[in-house]
Amino acid sequence: MRKLIKYPNKILTTKTKDITEIDDDVIELLEDMYSIMQKHDGIGLAANQVGASVSIAIVEVDDETGLIEMINPKIVSTKGRTMDVEGCLSFPGTYGTVERYDEIVVQFVDREGYEVEVETSGYLSRVMQHEIEHLSGTLFTNKIIERIAPKDLDAYMEERGYD
Ligand code: CO
């Protein structure tokens, strides 16, 4: 049974390998990732966060966009910059503002093997960027501009108009 990997485990800073074949192991990994993400109330998760050094990330920001499973995701175009607060399941209690692209176009393969292209903005775009960075071994803590203590999180978000 896989479990959530936390910093400073080296797998988190190691670049993952692309998936070459979507076999039963890949499907099982996707299922494991989803249950671990749900268990920890996450909105995104990368495969290396559950101990698998392969290029798979999942995001589920809200009911409207639902679960998006991305195999070998690549950001192919970007537009604008935006600042917002992020956290990470591998860094419990760490929150901070991070600058990201506002809009992105992502290409990936879905679990059926189809190539998919998605254009997103807002928080979904942010979460995708955070997760795709995990796959190259990059952590959001290196990009934090202003760190926010957990006890100040609600007040900070309200003050800044974040939701
Ligand atoms: Co993370």
Side-chain angles (χ1 to χ4, degrees), residues 107-123:
Q107 286 177 351
F108 58 89
V109 175
D110 70 12
R111 66 156 72 199
E112 260 88 53
Y114 291 106
E115 284 187 27
V116 181
E117 188 174 280
V118 175
E119 191 178 337
T120 68
S121 59
Y123 215 74

Side-chain angles (χ1 to χ4, degrees), residues 88-120:
C88 180
L89 292 183
S90 295
F91 291 85
T94 300
Y95 301 96
T97 51
V98 176
E99 191 178 70
R100 298 277 182 195
Y101 299 115
D102 189 15
E103 298 173 33
I104 56 166
V105 176
V106 188
Q107 286 177 351
F108 58 89
V109 175
D110 70 12
R111 66 156 72 199
E112 260 88 53
Y114 291 106
E115 284 187 27
V116 181
E117 188 174 280
V118 175
E119 191 178 337
T120 68

Side-chain angles (χ1 to χ4, degrees), residues 82-87 95-99 123 126 144-163:
T82 171
M83 190 89 83
D84 208 338
V85 179
E86 294 184 17
Y95 301 96
T97 51
V98 176
E99 191 178 70
Y123 215 74
R126 171 170 297 272
I144 289 179
I145 290 167
E146 185 183 358
R147 204 165 152 159
I148 300 154
K151 65 174 174 57
D152 299 333
L153 195 60
D154 286 348
Y156 184 93
M157 307 261 262
E158 208 165 300
E159 187 187 318
R160 294 292 182 97
Y162 296 145
D163 48 33

Side-chain angles (χ1 to χ4, degrees), residues 49 87-89 130-131 134:
Q49 290 182 280
C88 180
L89 292 183
H130 176 116
E131 301 313 329
H134 268 295

